[in-house]
Structures are given as C-alpha cells and as structure tokens.
Amino acid sequence: MSDTDTTSRTLDTNWNPGSWRDVPFDAPFAYTDPSALQAARTRLAEFPPLVTSWEIERLKAQIAQAQRGERFILQGGDCAETLDECQPAPIANKLKILLQMSLVLIHGLRTPVTRVGRFAGQYAKPRSSPTESADHNGSVCELPSYFGDLVNRAPFTPEHRAPDPNLMVEGYKHASMTLNFIRSLLDGGFADLHHPEYWDLSFFHNADLSDARRAQYEMMSRTLADGLSFMENLGEQKVHESTRVDFYTSHEGLNLHYEEAQTRTVPRRTGYYDLTTHLPWIGQRNRQLDGPHIEFFKGIQNPIGVKIGPPINGDELISILDALNPTNEEGKIVLITRMGVSNVQANMPGLLARVKSEGRNVLWMSDPMHGNGIKTSSGIKTRNFNDILSELEQVVDAHHEAGTILGGVHFELTGEDVTECVGGAAGITEDDLTRNYATLCDPRLNYQQSLELAFLLAGAMSKR
Ligand code: PEP
Ligand code: CO
C-alpha cells in the first residue's frame, strides 16, 4: 500500500470518534468524577500515537493475504496484561514464544506468518457480572468486578475497585513502555532464532508422551533448521542478519474513552485511525448491533477483530459485517470464532457457508480458548489442553469441508512456566494448578503448552 490513501470506503458523515457516547447503553462500569474523566481524555488525546497509520495499513494488507491463504496470522498473549508486569522478562518471554510458534507454523504450513501480540494495551476486561461479592474486612461486601488495569485494580477493596480515569493515562504509558521495549528487541536482533539455546524442548522427554508423539516432535524440531531457510526463502527478512521482524499489537477495544482519545485523522489519508493499537477487537459480550462498540468501530480505518460464539447466527453475523465493512474491503475484518469444543459442529458449517455464499471478505481466525473455560471441583478456573486442541482440529476440518480458509489462530498464552491450563505433554494436572497460577483473568497456556500446540496445529493443518 502506498503512502497516499487508496481506500474506496465511503465515509459516514454522521460518525465521529465520540458518536458512540450518544448510543444508549447499560454500561457495566461508570466513572463518577466527570472532570477527572475529561482531564484524562484530554491528556490522552494530546499524547503521540502508539502506532502509525502505515503500520496499520501494512497489517491490513497482510490480513488480506491471509484471507486468500497466502499468509497465516498468529495472535496471542495474556488474557489481561497488568501494569505491574510491565517488566523486561515477561515481555521478552511472550515475544519469544510467539516468535518460536510462528517459526513452527512457517515450517509446517509453508507460508509466511504475521505475529500479532495481545500486548501493549490489553488492559481492559469484559466481565460476566458488573459486581462481585466477597469478604472485605470480615464482612461480605459487593464491589465492582475487576475490569482490568485500564479501569480499576484487582485487590478487593472499595478504593481499588472504583473505576479511575487516570488509569487510562497510566495504561497508555505502560503500553508505550512495552512497545518501546518490543521495538528495540526486534530491532536489536532478538528475533535471531538460529540460536538453539533459545529453545527449551526438554519437555519432549516427558515420560507421559506417547512414542508416536515424541517421535513426531523430535522430527519436527530436527527439521526446524529447514524452517529457518524456508522463512528466508519466503521473503521474510533474513533472521540472522535482519534488524526487523514484523510484529503488530492488538487489544480488546472495551474502554471506548481510551480508544476515542487516540483516534484521529492523519496527513494524506482519508478517515480516522485508532492509534492505540494496530488491530483492536470487539469482544463477544460487546458486539450488539445497536451498541456503542459497533458504533465506534464502524468509523475507524483499522482492521477490526470480532469475537463470535454461540448464540450468533448467520443473519446477525451478516448484519455485523454490513455495519463494520459495508464496502466489503479486503483485510478489514477478522472473525475470531470461539465456539467451545462441543459447539463447533453445530455452529461453524452454517456460518462458513453463509459468509461464503454472500461473498464476504473476512479472515477466519480460531480462538479455541474462550469457549472452553471450566472450573475444577475446588473452584479454580482452568482449560483443558485437549479441549483446546480438539476445537482447533474441528475448526480446521470445518473449513476444509466448507471450502473456506482458516487464516489465523488466537491464543491466551504466556512465556512463563505458569500452571493455569491442564494437560499437554508437560503433564499439568489439577493438583499442579495452585503451584504457579498467576493470571488475573483467564487461564493461559504456558511456554511448553504453547509450543506443543503450535506443533500440533501445524501437523493438523498440513495433513488436510
Ligand atoms: C478475551 O479475549 O479475553 C475475551 C474476553 O474473549 P471473548 O470476548 O471471546 O469472551
Ligand atoms: Co480471556
């Protein structure tokens, strides 16, 4: 895409970055101090953008390629990033696991892979209930739920749980520090994956692994050197001598005050860009056609993710596409399906057939995490590796049968050795969950589970 705008999207003259505020909405949280809210919004609007319009357009062009099966998108990161974890090791480790997974996928799928982190702004969380009750100073108290560090803080006290607009300013600053570190790491050669010491494959020797699976992993890891040359041949910049690997950011655009404040026009382009992130998405709980999120998102030029899970149907999905992408622009829409392992067969074929028969340009992405949350008998939120894998495999099959393209995957993961999801070759059981359960929201795949899933996905997709 050239630097001058070539888009043919028609612009809605009734839309402006603040028009979502006129949409009636039962907001799950509210700021109580209007002048503090205004001060935070003004400050945010004055700050420089976190990302640029040309990066956004480059990602859009790559999503368009992935829609056509010429590329694959790997999106992943924490469920909820936290301000406290804005530290070098967790950031570098998340980047490392995403780079390594992408390498496995490049090798297995024989296609370039674009990496998109749930990074540098994934600070706002939708909740199933606006309040929760728990013990506070010896008595049961009802307080706002924790909506992520962009809105309020996790400790169960009235002070921490009160929505605080200044957290948006703090969130911006932490996103900016995170992004600055990521950009420096990538520029400084961190992406040089030729070094075998970057790989921790010791879990392949886990006694619980079947012989067949162990042999498969060993074979794949032995041939990863090929993967590196493949990556180079495919026109990715040479990893050992390059200074750049393309990397993009994304987050759920839940707190529209934050998104609006950084949404602006830029020289030589038409329309508004949300410059907090490259790929904002609308969550499953906020995709109402007459809601403020669809209203906000329909006016921005960024590619947009939309999470879709039951009870969505074909008509509703087409109406969402009409609202968000009336010109059927390529690279614009990423449909992130999150069905749950037992709902794929009932839901996916109809949606795939409908979108295909209407000729809509979308990138189909699978999030096998969010429909598969379970609770252990002792009440710990977890996910089973086998359910995640099974949803992925079923989605791969559904696309194969429908003649559509699975162009990406979306995972909640971390580069740390956490114990939040059960299963996988690392052999994490329910008893292990308390050992290192660190997430403030949904359970994430750890380093080993993430890498294993990349191997299994590559295997599943290359077989079909
Ligand atoms: C999430 O991605 O963390 C999330 C809340 O997803 P969903 O909107 O699909 O439930
Ligand atoms: Co989540």
Side-chain angles (χ1 to χ4, degrees):
M1 184 125 211
S2 77
D3 232 25
T4 38
D5 178 62
T6 55
T7 177
S8 60
R9 302 189 76 214
T10 45
L11 299 174
D12 177 349
T13 46
N14 293 320
W15 186 92
N16 67 66
S19 52
W20 65 271
R21 283 185 271 131
D22 298 328
V23 176
F25 180 56
D26 197 8
F29 61 85
Y31 294 108
T32 51
D33 180 346
S35 58
L37 175 59
Q38 193 46 52
R41 287 167 48 99
T42 304
R43 193 72 193 106
L44 277 171
E46 291 163 350
F47 283 149
L50 290 170
V51 302
T52 61
S53 63
W54 55 92
E55 291 167 345
I56 291 172
E57 290 297 342
R58 195 163 64 222
L59 175 60
K60 211 193 267 179
Q62 295 191 3
I63 292 172
Q65 290 178 337
Q67 283 174 0
R68 300 190 293 266
E70 298 157 11
R71 179 175 280 278
F72 197 73
I73 313 279
L74 170 66
Q75 186 176 17
D78 292 316
C79 180
E81 266 184 303
T82 63
L83 303 186
D84 289 349
E85 283 239 306
C86 181
Q87 296 174 17
I91 297 170
N93 287 341
K94 271 185 291 191
L95 193 58
K96 173 175 141 179
I97 182 62
L98 276 180
L99 287 167
Q100 293 184 346
M101 290 170 82
S102 70
L103 205 59
V104 172
L105 293 172
I106 288 166
H107 177 52
L109 309 182
R110 298 293 196 250
T111 173
V113 171
T114 295
R115 307 137 195 105
V116 181
R118 288 174 62 115
F119 290 3
Q122 178 48 23
Y123 297 125
K125 298 306 304 169
R127 303 316 299 250
S128 33
S129 166
T131 60
E132 65 183 306
S133 296
D135 180 77
H136 174 56
N137 288 345
S139 58
V140 174
C141 174
E142 187 180 359
L143 292 175
S145 298
Y146 169 59
F147 287 96
D149 282 1
L150 199 67
V151 176
N152 58 2
R153 305 307 295 265
F156 195 76
T157 74
E159 298 74 40
H160 286 100
R161 289 296 175 91
D164 174 2
N166 197 46
L167 286 173
M168 290 191 282
V169 177
E170 283 304 304
Y172 169 93
K173 290 179 183 169
H174 286 74
S176 163
M177 288 188 274
T178 305
L179 210 45
N180 181 54
F181 185 48
I182 289 173
R183 291 192 198 274
S184 320
L185 282 174
L186 294 178
D187 278 351
F190 180 78
D192 184 347
L193 299 174
H194 280 93
H195 290 287
E197 66 271 21
Y198 284 176
W199 295 81
D200 175 8
L201 299 175
S202 53
F203 68 100
F204 287 164
H205 303 291
N206 183 303
D208 292 340
L209 209 55
S210 73
D211 286 349
R213 213 171 246 194
R214 182 178 298 119
Q216 184 197 359
Y217 292 165
E218 280 173 357
M219 193 269 288
M220 288 182 88
S221 50
R222 265 202 308 277
T223 51
L224 269 168
D226 288 0
L228 287 161
S229 9
F230 230 92
M231 184 162 160
E232 290 159 7
N233 294 339
L234 280 166
E236 294 269 344
Q237 298 212 324
K238 286 194 175 170
V239 275
H240 55 283
E241 63 178 55
S242 99
T243 52
R244 278 200 67 85
V245 163
D246 264 3
F247 189 86
Y248 299 94
T249 63
S250 66
H251 62 247
E252 177 167 352
L254 177 85
N255 190 340
L256 296 176
H257 292 289
Y258 181 74
E259 307 303 325
E260 177 195 338
Q262 281 266 312
T263 295
R264 50 189 76 156
T265 55
V266 297
R268 291 187 304 284
R269 291 196 194 276
T270 311
Y272 286 86
Y273 286 82
D274 179 349
L275 297 174
T276 62
T277 191
H278 303 109
L279 173 63
W281 78 83
I282 308 178
Q284 155 84 352
R285 292 169 190 75
N286 289 307
R287 56 171 167 70
Q288 301 80 6
L289 271 171
D290 56 356
H293 291 84
I294 296 271
E295 171 60 26
F296 174 77
F297 275 77
K298 76 183 188 196
I300 58 173
Q301 300 295 322
N302 306 54
I304 300 168
V306 190
K307 294 284 205 96
I308 54 171
I312 189 132
N313 61 38
D315 289 344
E316 193 185 348
L317 181 53
I318 294 298
S319 303
I320 291 174
L321 296 177
D322 284 341
L324 295 176
N325 192 18
T327 60
N328 204 19
E329 183 187 4
E330 280 197 357
K332 174 73 191 171
I333 299 288
V334 181
L335 289 181
I336 310 168
T337 63
R338 29 89 80 220
M339 294 294 158
V341 64
S342 52
N343 299 318
V344 175
Q345 266 148 37
N347 289 273
M348 287 292 292
L351 295 175
L352 296 178
R354 180 72 187 275
V355 170
K356 185 180 178 194
S357 73
E358 297 221 5
R360 302 302 175 114
N361 292 315
V362 302
L363 175 85
W364 288 104
M365 179 181 269
S366 171
D367 165 0
M369 314 292 294
H370 284 90
N372 292 316
I374 48 173
K375 265 195 182 167
T376 65
S377 48
S378 50
I380 302 175
K381 269 168 74 173
T382 187
R383 290 163 170 154
N384 191 314
F385 186 90
N386 288 337
D387 292 341
I388 294 168
L389 176 62
S390 171
E391 174 156 350
L392 266 182
E393 288 173 341
Q394 291 183 57
V395 168
V396 170
D397 286 342
H399 281 285
H400 189 67
E401 276 151 33
T404 47
I405 292 167
L406 176 63
V409 283
H410 182 120
F411 297 126
E412 282 185 344
L413 53 80
T414 171
E416 311 297 309
D417 182 25
V418 298
T419 54
E420 297 171 5
C421 292
V422 294
I428 295 176
T429 65
E430 274 190 36
D431 290 342
D432 295 317
L433 290 180
T434 47
R435 185 156 46 82
N436 191 11
Y437 193 94
T439 182
L440 285 186
C441 205
D442 294 333
R444 302 160 295 178
L445 298 165
N446 66 17
Y447 174 81
Q448 300 185 350
Q449 290 168 325
S450 302
L451 200 53
E452 185 182 9
L453 205 58
F455 277 115
L456 291 168
L457 174 66
M461 286 191 68
S462 52
K463 242 188 259 137
R464 285 155 177 96

